[in-house]
Amino acid sequence: MSKKSLCTKFSLNQEGFTLLELLVVIGMLGVIATFVTPAIGNWRIEKNIEKDFFALVGVIDYLKAKTRVVNGTSILTCSAPNTLTYTISSYAQSGTATKHALYDASILETKTENILSGDTFLECATGTNIIFLNNSKATSWTGEIVYQFSGITDKVNYSAYKVTLNSATAFVQQYRWNKTSESWTELR
């Protein structure tokens, strides 16, 4: 067999991809990744905002129910920017203006870890106490959960939620920021 026929025989039986085909596929994957990566990042931020909103509403509902069950008082505290903790006491306060001196002596449950994930921003003044009474009354309060980057709140690109607590009935009104109309829309 000659050298020429041997080379032809081997080149006809070769299988695989050429270098050009591999480079085209890698280039296409790079272009697709460029579009997908920011969408995944935005999705994670949106889910963190939503998770913290539902955690806040869940804790408020839990404190209202637990306060009635133990016939006492509970306090949700903004101990630092973006940090929420709570305590539940068997002492039944009569007002929501301030924490009574006997409240601490009868504490049944304390949550010292932050309720929120820390990936979002809760607009709540440090030292704010939201007091829940056993007669279904609470401190009037409004809090917003938003995405904040370098101290700037971003309601244009990401969702935002607002919770308003009625003082007379402890009813929780829930709102979501409407990006189109740039206003709050009530949920439920």
Side-chain angles (χ1 to χ4, degrees), residues 28-45:
M28 289 171 53
L29 290 174
V31 168
I32 290 171
T34 305
F35 291 112
V36 171
T37 304
I40 291 172
N42 290 351
W43 176 77
R44 285 182 182 155
I45 292 169

Side-chain angles (χ1 to χ4, degrees), residues 1 18 70 147 174 182:
M1 225 182 224
T18 66
V70 299
Y147 177 70
Q174 304 169 16
E182 296 185 357

Side-chain angles (χ1 to χ4, degrees), residues 19-178:
L19 181 60
L20 181 62
E21 291 171 332
L22 288 174
L23 290 175
V24 167
V25 169
I26 291 171
M28 289 171 53
L29 290 174
V31 168
I32 290 171
T34 305
F35 291 112
V36 171
T37 304
I40 291 172
N42 290 351
W43 176 77
R44 285 182 182 155
I45 292 169
E46 290 281 344
K47 287 300 165 193
N48 284 336
I49 294 168
E50 192 173 295
K51 178 177 69 172
D52 282 351
F53 167 71
F54 287 120
L56 174 61
V57 171
V59 164
I60 290 172
D61 288 341
Y62 172 74
L63 291 176
K64 288 177 5 182
K66 187 75 173 191
T67 300
R68 286 191 295 270
V69 168
V70 299
N71 197 27
T73 306
S74 58
I75 299 177
L76 181 64
T77 304
C78 294
S79 53
N82 207 32
T83 304
L84 281 177
T85 58
Y86 68 80
T87 55
I88 300 171
S89 173
S90 61
Y91 178 76
Q93 266 187 225
S94 58
T96 61
T98 58
K99 179 171 81 170
H100 195 277
L102 298 175
Y103 177 86
D104 290 332
S106 306
I107 289 182
L108 302 172
E109 182 180 337
T110 301
K111 173 79 170 175
T112 56
E113 301 88 30
N114 190 8
I115 295 162
L116 305 175
S117 69
D119 297 328
T120 59
F121 182 75
L122 173 67
E123 294 180 7
C124 183
T126 301
T128 301
N129 285 332
I130 302 127
I131 300 174
F132 298 90
L133 303 179
N134 60 359
N135 61 359
S136 297
K137 294 186 187 281
T139 306
S140 181
W141 178 76
T142 298
E144 293 181 16
I145 295 179
V146 296
Y147 177 70
Q148 196 174 60
F149 183 73
S150 298
I152 299 170
T153 301
D154 187 357
K155 291 182 187 174
V156 175
N157 298 314
Y158 302 102
S159 297
Y161 292 91
K162 180 167 78 168
V163 174
T164 301
L165 196 59
N166 183 312
S167 62
T169 61
F171 178 73
V172 179
Q173 290 178 288
Q174 304 169 16
Y175 300 92
R176 182 180 177 144
W177 183 255
N178 186 328

